[in-house]
Amino acid sequence: MKKSHPIRRTLLATAATVSGIVLLLSLKPASDPAGSVQAGAAGGAPSAQGGQGAAAGAQTLTGSAVQTDYGPVQVRITVNGGKITNAEAVQQPSGGRSTQISGDAIPKLNQAAVAAGTAEIDAVSGATYTSAGYKESLQSALDQAGSAQDSGAQVLTGTTVQTDYGPVQVRITVSGGKITNAEAVQAPSGGRSTQITSDSVPKLNQAAVAAGSAEIDAVSGATYTSAGYKESLQSALDQAGSAQDSGGKAEAGGEAEAGGDSQDAGDAEGSGAGQATGTQVLTGSAVQTDYGPVQVRITVNGGKITNAEALQQPSGGRSTQISGTAIPQLNQNAVSAGSADIDAVSGATYTSGGYKESLQSALDQAG
C-alpha cells in the first residue's frame, strides 16, 4: 500500500477548505427583504397599510388605473401627516415575461414613492412602460390627497362593473353632502369603444354632479357603459350612505381610479357623505387567480364587518356563473365570521382562495 505524501495531503485539505468557503459565500437568502414592499396585485398581502384606521388623519388613496402596452397599472398609497407612508400596486402587468418584470420593478417603485414622497421618481431599468404607468397613477392618488385635504371632502370609488365591452368604475368627490366631482377610473377602450367612451363618459360625469345621485339618463349609443357607470356610481354613494347610517360625522378617505365629465337628474343619496366615526370602508389587494383577479371591499364598524363585496371577480364564460354563485356566499360568510377564516365555496376553489386573501389584506388595514 502506497503512503500518501504529506504535501499532497496538505494541498488536498487546503483545496477542500477553499471550495467550502466559496460555496458558502455564493449562497444567498431565498427572498429579498426589499420584496416585502411588493404590490398587492401580485397576489400577496400588502405591507402594513394605513387604511383610515391606521392612524389619526391617515388616508388610503387609490390612483387611476393607467393602461400601458403591457397591461394596467394602478397604485394605492397611504398618506399620513402629509407623507406617503406606504405604496403598493393594486394592478400591474402580468402574464409571461411581464410577471417577472413587474415582480422586479414594482417593489422598487413602491420604495421610491415612499422615499420621494412624490411621483417624481426614476423609472426602473427594463420596465419603462410599467414605471410610466406607475408614476401617472401615483400622481392621480396624490392629487386626491391634496384636494380632499383642502376641502375636507371625501373621495369614494365604486365597484368595478364588468360590461360586455369592458370594465367601468367610477370615483366621486363628495363635499358638504353633494357630489362635487365624478370621473370614470376605468371605462371600455379599444376600437370603437374608445370613441364611445370619450363621448359618453364626460356626459355621465356631468350628469352625476348635476343629479347628486345615480338616477341619471343613459347616453344614447352607450347603453352598456351607461349602465355600468350608474351601478358603480351607486356603489360609491352607498359607501357614503352606509357610513352616515352608522351615525357620526363624515371623515375623509376613500379609494380611486380614472375619468371625464356629464348630464341629467335625480335625488341625492348618501348626501352628507362619508365615513361615520368608527366606520371604515377598506379595500383589499387585487389578488390574481388562475381565472382572473379577485378584490374585496369591506365596511367595518365597532370592530365588526358589517358589509363585504367583491370589487373584482373572475368573469367570462363559465367564470361568470361560478362568481355569481360563489361571491354572494363568500360575502355572507365574511360578515358572519368577522374574519378571513371562512370556508371555500364548493366548485369555486380559486375564487374562494383569492377572496380570502384579499379580505385578509383589507382586515390588516383595520388592524
Side-chain angles (χ1 to χ4, degrees), residues 114-213:
V114 173
T118 72
E120 295 301 316
I121 57 178
D122 291 336
V124 173
S125 177
T128 309
Y129 290 98
T130 297
S131 298
Y134 186 102
K135 290 166 70 175
E136 186 177 336
S137 183
L138 173 58
Q139 185 59 60
S140 73
L142 287 166
D143 289 344
Q144 296 171 51
S147 60
Q149 249 182 345
D150 294 342
S151 60
Q154 273 186 296
V155 181
L156 303 164
T157 303
T159 53
T160 300
V161 178
Q162 296 297 329
T163 76
D164 285 3
Y165 296 96
V168 179
Q169 188 175 30
V170 179
R171 178 174 63 205
I172 57 173
T173 303
V174 180
S175 184
K178 295 181 180 178
I179 299 174
T180 57
N181 188 59
E183 59 179 338
V185 180
Q186 296 187 69
S189 63
R192 176 83 177 125
S193 293
T194 300
Q195 186 180 336
I196 292 172
T197 293
S198 64
D199 174 64
S200 63
V201 166
K203 294 175 182 175
L204 292 164
N205 291 336
Q206 288 174 341
V209 173
S213 76

Side-chain angles (χ1 to χ4, degrees), residues 74-75 84 102 105 150 168 198-199 206-207 230 255 288 293 298 311 347 361 364 366-367:
Q74 188 175 27
V75 179
I84 300 175
S102 291
D150 294 342
V168 179
S198 64
D199 174 64
Q206 288 174 341
K230 290 167 69 175
E255 275 281 314
Q288 296 297 328
I298 56 172
L311 298 184
S361 73
D364 288 344

Side-chain angles (χ1 to χ4, degrees), residues 1-25:
M1 200 161 134
K2 273 188 181 178
K3 256 189 177 178
S4 290
H5 198 286
I7 293 176
R8 180 179 294 174
R9 284 203 306 271
T10 304
L11 287 172
L12 289 172
T14 303
T17 304
V18 171
S19 299
I21 290 169
V22 170
L23 181 61
L24 284 171
L25 289 174

